[in-house]
Amino acid sequence: MKKTLAAAAAAAAGALLAVQPALPARAAGGTTFTATSNPVLFVHGYTGNASTWNTMADRFRADGWPSPYLDQWSYDWRQSNATTAQQLSAEVDRLLAATGATKVDIVSHSMGGLGSRSYLKNLGGTAKVDAWVSLGGPNHGTDSANTCTDTSCTEMRIGSAFLADLNSGDETPGAARYATWWSPCDTVINPDSSVALSGATNTRTACLSHTALLTDATVYAQTRDVVNR
């Protein structure tokens, strides 16, 4: 039986790992924080919140990222993804001002990929984002959204007007680097092919659930190396 989006999000809280101690930055390379590393802005999905990212943020911290460079952002997941994009624009500006960086990396899970993609495409985000990551994103819709009524969720339905606009023309505009991860065992994003984007680096994971994409060590390592190259 397919999980609902709300049930999958609720399960995420129980899947989070214990906090890892922070470690100092080490030698340059994709695996560790360096002077040229960008701050990371995490965008949760439907029914999520900042704690969705505890495991991944702790792993970034263990690999040398300072806490001010790890922004576990929260927003009202019921609202239109277009509204989220506007709020995300302000959060990116705040994070850049706080860190003195010139660009951010965005790591999104599930529906968080839609608002952040809208920001890149429609609000000039490509000038401020170096790398954009989608973990199990419903980039072309999912049938799991067919029974929900929140504005944000109805926008995830296959063939929605929001997705038609978001996917029109270039799916990966600008100079930002786009990367997606999808699991053949993700029962929340149906079909699996919804995640991949034309022009992105699209990676198939092991047999992981929708929420396990947030805590899997291999997915973390791959994400870290993509944003930090």
Side-chain angles (χ1 to χ4, degrees):
M1 180 180 298
K2 292 174 180 170
K3 296 179 182 177
T4 64
L5 290 166
L16 298 178
L17 300 180
V19 174
Q20 299 180 19
L23 299 176
R26 298 184 288 274
T31 61
T32 57
F33 180 84
T34 72
T36 60
S37 298
N38 298 316
V40 180
L41 200 167
F42 299 98
V43 186
H44 64 75
Y46 189 67
T47 77
N49 55 47
S51 66
T52 296
W53 298 104
N54 285 353
T55 295
M56 186 169 284
D58 286 339
R59 283 173 167 156
F60 269 105
R61 193 172 293 109
D63 282 331
W65 270 255
S67 291
Y69 269 61
L70 301 171
D71 185 358
Q72 295 173 244
W73 184 59
S74 285
Y75 63 95
D76 182 354
W77 46 264
R78 300 170 184 84
Q79 67 193 9
S80 170
N81 290 287
T83 301
T84 299
Q86 295 171 348
Q87 295 172 351
L88 180 61
S89 177
E91 183 64 13
V92 168
D93 289 345
R94 186 206 66 77
L95 183 58
L96 291 176
T99 59
T102 57
K103 289 192 175 183
V104 303
D105 296 322
I106 290 178
V107 178
S108 66
H109 178 245
S110 196
M111 189 186 73
L114 302 187
S116 54
R117 278 184 66 205
S118 181
Y119 163 63
L120 266 70
K121 178 176 182 177
N122 300 315
L123 299 176
T126 55
K128 299 177 182 180
V129 175
D130 181 29
W132 174 88
V133 167
S134 172
L135 305 178
N139 291 308
H140 297 95
T142 175
D143 64 15
S144 296
N146 290 346
T147 58
C148 60
T149 58
D150 294 308
T151 300
S152 60
C153 193
T154 61
E155 289 173 348
M156 289 191 281
R157 293 177 183 172
I158 297 169
S160 73
F162 177 85
L163 287 177
D165 176 72
L166 187 62
N167 293 322
S168 63
D170 188 354
E171 292 190 338
T172 52
R177 295 178 289 111
Y178 295 77
T180 77
W181 277 258
W182 64 275
S183 169
C185 299
D186 186 341
T187 58
V188 175
I189 305 303
N190 304 297
D192 294 339
S193 58
S194 177
V195 180
L197 291 171
S198 177
T201 300
N202 302 298
T203 301
R204 171 176 170 160
T205 72
C207 183
L208 300 174
S209 70
H210 190 61
T211 55
L213 292 166
L214 293 162
T215 58
D216 181 74
T218 297
V219 172
Y220 162 70
Q222 293 170 342
T223 298
R224 174 202 61 203
D225 291 352
V226 164
V227 302
N228 205 41
R229 74 179 188 202

